Amino acid sequence: MLHFLPSRFIMQRALLLLAVSGSLLVSASSCSDDDDNDNSPTPPEAVAFTQANLYPEGVQYDAKNNRYLVSSQTSGTVGQVRDDGTYSAFAENTALVSSIGMNLDDSRNRLLVAVSDPGYNSQRTSAATQRKLARLAIFNRDNGQLLSTVDLGGLRPALNHFANDIAVDAQGNAYVTDSFSPIIYKVDAQGTATVFLENTQLAAPASMFGLNGIVFHPDGYLLVAKSDEGALFKVPISNPAGFTKVTVSQDLKGADGMLLQDNNTLQVVTNAQAKVYRLTTTNAWGAATVSGTFTTPPQYPTTLARREGSDSYVLYSNLNALQANQTPPVSVFTIARVRF
């Protein structure tokens, strides 16, 4: 025998079922979000990777593709390193004699590489290019395709050259330091190269590195390190000849790569001291004081990569072993989180 419930009871039961099922959906959704957060990868303290005789000088972190990009003084190859320490080639080209500093121009999806010839690539060095080569190579950051190369040393053919580091401004102009000549080059977004700044005050003795690390400040100037002098310079984009020396409370001897943490905070690697200094300014880089120091192992740190917001990682290049012709060559290299 069938029993029929009054319509009001049927409606109440339907509303109750909807409420219960809705709460279950909300609960399941909340659990899913929590699981995603719990399972999100934590950036490692250090990434060690093995590639014998690589001797990387530059490093960038490519967040889009979850990898570090590293250069090589001995092969020229730009490699990629995963968090598990897996190394593989990313960009290979005969134009890469020794790849030095790099800049990942995220908004334009390109990787800029400074190319030089210190004589460490036995397959590609030559009498015509050793200590004479300064080149900018530009790659597609996703597939490693070579987009263009720009000759810089040819602007001053009588001088020695070593293209070292790169900064890119908001308009896509690249600025490249030359460690063997007192020059900063400018390569515009169309690929035209010019001498942006040349001044004997920026020169270094013949056996030493002069201009080195460089960063672009969004207020319209460059901050440039000079290794031999342990100095920092402020170079206005609109008036490069009006550059000034930043008064710094710390000797930056051996200054190499740099990272602008924020408008008033700069991190500077000093390979000669095996330290990363954090500098802070209160007057737009007229002067700066040390607000933190990170001491690295004696493995010749060279430069920095930004990751996860303000976190930075320093590359231990072991270039001192390369310079000393160490045998066997170093095979394990490390990218380590900086802790001030």
Side-chain angles (χ1 to χ4, degrees):
M1 183 176 180
L2 296 176
H3 296 275
F4 294 94
L5 294 173
S7 60
R8 70 177 182 275
F9 291 118
I10 294 173
M11 182 64 71
Q12 288 171 352
R13 290 187 65 185
L15 291 172
L16 178 61
L17 287 171
L18 284 171
V20 171
S21 62
S23 66
L24 288 173
L25 286 171
V26 171
S27 176
S29 175
S30 298
C31 288
S32 177
D33 287 345
D34 289 343
D35 289 345
D36 288 344
N37 290 336
D38 291 342
N39 293 332
S40 59
T42 301
E45 284 300 304
V47 176
F49 60 99
T50 302
Q51 189 70 11
N53 197 40
L54 183 73
Y55 295 109
E57 201 276 350
V59 63
Q60 294 281 277
Y61 185 70
D62 180 6
K64 177 182 176 183
N65 295 299
N66 303 307
R67 64 189 175 191
Y68 291 95
L69 296 170
V70 296
S71 61
S72 172
Q73 287 216 14
T74 50
S75 71
T77 301
V78 176
Q80 56 187 355
V81 179
R82 303 293 180 181
D83 279 354
D84 63 1
T86 302
Y87 173 91
S88 60
F90 168 69
E92 296 182 282
N93 194 281
T94 55
L96 299 172
V97 181
S98 287
S99 53
I100 314 297
M102 303 187 296
N103 185 291
L104 183 58
D105 187 7
D106 191 68
S107 64
R108 298 171 186 85
N109 211 50
R110 58 182 188 159
L111 176 71
L112 290 77
V113 181
V115 181
S116 299
D117 182 7
Y120 296 131
N121 186 337
S122 60
Q123 302 301 310
R124 294 177 184 163
T125 189
S126 70
T129 59
Q130 188 171 353
R131 297 180 61 87
K132 294 288 186 181
L133 179 65
R135 174 183 292 155
L136 180 66
I138 303 174
F139 296 88
N140 180 297
R141 70 93 68 84
D142 290 325
N143 58 26
Q145 177 188 359
L146 180 65
L147 302 177
S148 64
T149 60
V150 184
D151 178 28
L152 304 174
L155 295 170
R156 295 290 186 272
L159 302 178
N160 286 339
H161 298 292
F162 187 98
N164 197 316
D165 199 14
I166 308 163
V168 177
D169 68 18
Q171 286 70 48
N173 300 303
Y175 303 88
V176 185
T177 55
D178 193 324
S179 295
F180 290 167
S181 292
I183 296 173
I184 300 174
Y185 306 98
K186 177 180 178 180
V187 180
D188 66 20
Q190 290 71 48
T192 301
T194 55
V195 172
F196 174 72
L197 173 61
E198 183 175 16
N199 192 295
T200 55
Q201 186 180 338
L202 304 176
S207 61
M208 302 185 72
F209 277 61
L211 296 176
N212 203 319
I214 185 170
V215 296
F216 170 72
H217 194 287
D219 287 343
Y221 51 86
L222 304 168
L223 294 172
V224 188
K226 190 166 182 284
S227 293
D228 65 305
E229 190 177 345
L232 184 65
F233 291 90
K234 177 180 177 179
V235 183
I237 296 292
S238 60
N239 179 30
F243 69 92
T244 55
K245 188 174 181 179
V246 180
T247 302
V248 182
S249 64
Q250 170 66 43
D251 174 19
L252 300 176
K253 192 81 169 181
D256 201 328
M258 306 193 297
L259 186 152
L260 191 65
Q261 182 176 320
D262 57 51
N263 284 3
N264 299 311
T265 311
L266 180 72
Q267 297 179 24
V268 183
V269 179
T270 56
N271 46 54
Q273 303 178 46
K275 286 180 170 51
V276 180
Y277 290 110
R278 184 179 62 201
L279 305 181
T280 304
T281 186
T282 58
N283 64 352
W285 299 102
T289 57
V290 174
S291 59
T293 304
F294 175 74
T295 301
T296 76
Q299 293 178 302
Y300 208 95
T302 49
T303 193
L304 298 152
R306 185 191 303 276
R307 176 171 176 170
E308 308 297 333
S310 62
D311 281 354
S312 63
Y313 283 73
V314 61
L315 172 66
Y316 301 151
S317 72
N318 291 274
L319 286 179
N320 52 333
L322 175 63
Q323 294 161 0
N325 295 312
Q326 176 179 307
T327 302
V330 174
S331 60
V332 179
F333 303 89
T334 303
I335 305 167
R337 188 198 295 259
V338 176
R339 296 286 193 182
F340 291 108

